[in-house]
Amino acid sequence: MNEQTPGILLVLSAPSGAGKTTLARRLITDFPEAEFSVSFTTRKPRGVEKSGVDYHFVDTAEFRERLDRGEMVEWAEVFGHFYGTPQEVVDRARSTDGLAIFDIDVQGGSKIKAKHPDTLLVFVQPPSMEVLERRLRDRKTDAEDTIQRRLLEARAEVEKGLESYDYVIVNDDLDAAYAKLKSIVVAERCRISRSEKKA
Ligand code: ADP
Ligand code: 5GP
């Protein structure tokens, strides 16, 4: 593609509870140039969520202003709230040889790829629905009705991910799953079109 630079855009999508946050944290420890993208949202913070860490919490007017100024590479409305990915995270990765990690859903990942075709779309799949349910319960962050909703959404998200993404990693054994994710990033760094040492 014409804009390809060494900077990598990596989208990790998964049904909630499959382990993408756990995997992303390990990537950030191993790759000092990695930046975890923090999305904008108009929903209110839940529990211990902090602005600037979990999301940038903004009101609808500010969200629209930022959208109009071109500050979001993609956005969506989910359950009546707006969510958007900051364009500046893409720009920073592109200009600094970085690694931007996006923890967003399949539709958001596909929109980033439509604008930036070299985006890596990685789908993290739970080993089974039973294991997913157990992880959601053991995590102890969601109420029962939220767990039920997340399980209902999981099947559709897996179907969409498997039909449109580049890579799938089944997160059964965590170390094995992480080794696969790291290999994808390392291989991508070696891609000739990302290298400055072209003949
Ligand atoms: P997500 O970000 O996809 O919602 P998390 O990273 O929060 O998921 O993981 C959900 C729960 O499952 C967490 O409690 C995490 O510690 C646990 N977990 C993640 N990966 C594994 C794994 N391979 N084996 C067992 N537990 C895991
Ligand atoms: P939650 O409110 O539970 O944190 O997220 C609700 C949904 O919004 C999830 O499916 C999540 O993946 C999605 N989401 C979070 N941030 C973004 C974003 O920046 N863009 C898009 N398209 N979806 C997002």
Side-chain angles (χ1 to χ4, degrees):
M1 59 164 294
N2 48 22
E3 68 159 327
Q4 195 154 14
T5 70
I8 295 175
L9 309 179
L10 171 71
V11 179
L12 282 180
S13 299
S16 182
K20 60 187 181 312
T21 310
T22 308
L23 289 165
R25 286 208 186 107
R26 282 181 77 161
L27 266 187
I28 286 179
T29 317
D30 266 354
F31 294 86
E33 75 277 26
E35 176 180 0
F36 194 73
S37 170
V38 178
S39 297
F40 294 104
T41 184
T42 59
R43 82 153 164 76
K44 299 271 176 279
R46 286 193 295 245
V48 294
E49 285 182 334
K50 281 201 190 72
S51 200
V53 178
D54 300 284
Y55 283 103
H56 298 291
F57 295 99
V58 297
D59 60 24
T60 305
E62 182 178 344
F63 190 94
R64 284 187 198 284
E65 279 164 24
R66 288 181 179 275
L67 194 57
D68 290 347
R69 288 200 297 259
E71 292 182 23
M72 294 185 210
V73 59
E74 66 79 38
W75 68 279
E77 189 176 350
V78 185
F79 299 122
H81 299 293
F82 296 116
Y83 294 83
T85 303
Q87 177 67 46
E88 65 171 16
V89 178
V90 172
D91 297 342
R92 251 192 314 271
R94 293 303 205 188
S95 62
T96 62
D97 210 351
L99 168 63
I101 303 171
F102 304 92
D103 174 352
I104 57 176
D105 61 8
V106 170
Q107 61 157 345
S110 303
K111 285 188 203 164
I112 295 182
K113 182 133 180 155
K115 284 195 180 167
H116 303 281
D118 64 321
T119 300
L120 297 179
L121 298 179
V122 178
F123 194 78
V124 179
Q125 199 180 359
S128 67
M129 287 298 151
E130 291 70 31
V131 171
L132 182 66
E133 181 166 358
R134 189 168 352 114
R135 284 187 192 161
L136 283 170
R137 288 191 198 291
D138 290 351
R139 189 168 67 174
K140 297 185 167 50
T141 54
D142 300 309
E144 183 58 31
D145 58 338
T146 309
I147 291 178
Q148 291 306 330
R149 176 169 60 75
R150 292 197 191 284
L151 288 171
L152 277 177
E153 287 162 4
R155 267 175 222 282
E157 190 71 356
V158 170
E159 242 168 61
K160 281 189 279 177
L162 295 185
E163 89 191 9
S164 57
Y165 267 37
D166 301 313
Y167 297 96
V168 61
I169 294 174
V170 178
N171 182 17
D172 190 348
D173 175 76
L174 183 60
D175 287 340
Y178 179 67
K180 289 177 187 165
L181 180 60
K182 188 172 174 182
S183 306
I184 292 170
V185 175
V186 171
E188 192 60 26
R189 278 271 182 246
C190 300
R191 199 182 276 278
I192 288 173
S193 56
R194 287 192 191 274
S195 159
E196 275 154 21
K197 299 184 189 69
K198 284 179 235 170

